[in-house]
Amino acid sequence: MTTAPWEPDWANSGWTPFGCKIAPLAFPIMIQRAREGRPITYEDLAAEIERRYKIPQQFRKSAYGAPVGLVGHKLEELSEVWGLLLPPLNTIVINKRDKCAGKGGDPLLRNYLNAKGQRFSAKRRKDLHRMARDIVFDYGERWVAVAEAFCAPILKPAAGGNRSGKPMKPLKVSQGGGEETLEHRNLKEWVRSNPAFLARFGTFKSGETEYPLSSGDRLDVYFGTSAKRLAVEVKPSHASKIELQRGVYQVVKYRAVMRAEQEAQLLIQQAQAVLVTTTVPDPESRELMRRLGVIHLTAPKHAEG
């Protein structure tokens, strides 16, 4: 593998003149957002290009999907040159309506996931795009080397990513969670034996409880195939707000560790983690889930036994 500079030929890419002109301008903005860990809408991307480069928006904003797609294809070319699978950067440019990348980028996502020809349900597609965005954000400062390879300008990330809202303080939790309750054990078993409840993440057989990770952690419930991995953290109805939010951070950790295991094994990163409860979380916990990109599902109350 080499990470030497690589000059992309934007002008002779076989795309429209508009796409070839806008793609190299969109690319550094997309890299900046990837390093900030936040997506950008097609509308905001068009406005940022106009602001930075004084290029009037001559086309409807949906036309900016083509330059974004061209960026994705150029990253595929660089992946082949480097012998290194690069995350699908195009997935962080999203529609304002459904918070998901346009369907024109689905072939790039399928290529990345080695899922050519597969059809996804609407929920499955949204989950896969969310997972791909997480992987793009996890790539962090390694995007700088990619920008340098393109000989592209490196835009400094905004402090805090220009995020809005009140900062949330770190949790103060005691070590360990104490003895497992009957409700927690029953909820784990219900999730383990009901893989259809998690069908939006893929087709799985019955799961495993207390599944070990390389970090020394044990998952409440684990589902896996040869390509996909899913961790489930469960919190019963008697869990306190602090315990529930601890579960949110556990989901983030498990997601990162499983993807790291796949990367270490030279596998495509297709790992996700989810939080399952039997009650609706409080507003603060829901906001924490939103900020950290944690998926929450509500199981039926009888799942606790």
Side-chain angles (χ1 to χ4, degrees):
M1 182 196 76
T2 176
T3 56
W6 170 79
E7 187 73 38
D9 188 359
W10 298 105
N12 297 307
S13 300
W15 292 60
T16 65
F18 174 76
C20 294
K21 176 182 179 180
I22 297 299
L25 306 181
F27 177 68
I29 298 171
M30 293 164 65
I31 290 286
Q32 180 188 41
R33 283 301 191 101
R35 294 170 67 201
E36 291 175 357
R38 63 190 184 117
I40 184 170
T41 65
Y42 291 99
E43 290 84 355
D44 288 345
L45 178 62
E48 185 66 10
I49 290 172
E50 180 178 25
R51 185 186 72 82
R52 284 185 174 274
Y53 305 107
K54 313 303 180 186
I55 297 177
Q57 297 179 22
Q58 302 172 350
F59 298 88
R60 65 188 188 282
K61 295 181 179 63
S62 59
Y64 286 77
V68 170
L70 178 52
V71 168
H73 282 283
K74 288 299 179 183
L75 282 173
E76 285 189 331
E77 291 181 12
L78 181 58
S79 291
E80 293 181 7
V81 172
W82 279 3
L84 174 68
L85 188 62
L86 295 170
L89 182 64
N90 56 292
T91 57
I92 71 168
V93 185
I94 61 175
N95 291 304
K96 184 179 294 184
R97 177 181 52 82
D98 62 2
K99 310 299 183 185
C100 197
K103 291 186 177 180
D106 284 2
L108 289 166
L109 181 61
R110 289 188 175 90
N111 289 347
Y112 178 78
L113 298 176
N114 196 25
K116 294 181 181 179
Q118 292 186 23
R119 300 184 64 180
F120 305 132
S121 66
K123 283 187 176 181
R124 176 68 174 152
R125 177 180 180 273
K126 195 166 186 178
D127 288 333
L128 289 174
H129 274 272
R130 187 203 302 253
M131 180 180 70
R133 283 200 302 273
D134 289 343
I135 294 170
V136 170
F137 298 149
D138 289 344
Y139 209 65
E141 290 306 293
R142 286 178 285 180
W143 283 117
V144 173
V146 177
E148 291 173 344
F150 274 71
C151 299
I154 299 173
L155 306 179
K156 183 179 179 180
N162 282 334
R163 291 173 172 85
S164 60
K166 184 179 179 181
M168 301 176 76
K169 295 181 180 179
L171 296 179
K172 293 183 179 180
V173 296
S174 57
Q175 186 68 27
E179 186 176 350
E180 183 178 38
T181 65
L182 177 62
E183 292 82 2
H184 186 270
R185 188 162 57 249
N186 287 343
L187 184 53
K188 283 197 308 184
E189 178 57 28
W190 185 89
V191 172
R192 184 201 70 78
S193 58
N194 285 274
F197 175 68
L198 301 154
R200 61 187 283 184
F201 301 103
T203 302
F204 301 104
K205 297 180 180 179
S206 295
E208 301 178 49
T209 59
E210 297 301 315
Y211 184 87
L213 294 179
S214 299
S215 59
D217 298 287
R218 286 187 175 273
L219 305 177
D220 280 345
V221 190
Y222 168 80
F223 296 89
T225 67
S226 59
K228 304 169 188 174
R229 306 184 70 187
L230 176 65
V232 183
E233 175 71 11
V234 306
K235 295 297 179 185
S237 56
H238 60 66
S240 66
K241 183 169 76 171
I242 288 181
E243 179 63 18
L244 181 61
Q245 292 185 10
R246 188 171 78 92
V248 175
Y249 285 106
Q250 286 172 312
V251 167
V252 174
K253 179 181 181 181
Y254 300 156
R255 183 175 65 194
V257 171
M258 290 194 303
R259 290 175 183 170
E261 288 178 335
Q262 289 181 316
E263 187 167 10
Q265 296 166 20
L266 302 181
L267 299 174
I268 296 172
Q269 296 179 52
Q270 293 196 64
Q272 186 57 277
V274 60
L275 179 65
V276 172
T277 68
T278 57
T279 55
V280 178
D282 62 278
E284 184 178 316
S285 297
R286 292 200 302 271
E287 173 61 15
L288 181 62
M289 294 174 197
R290 186 192 68 79
R291 293 187 187 186
L292 302 184
V294 167
I295 302 171
H296 167 260
L297 298 178
T298 304
K301 179 63 178 176
H302 66 76
E304 292 185 11

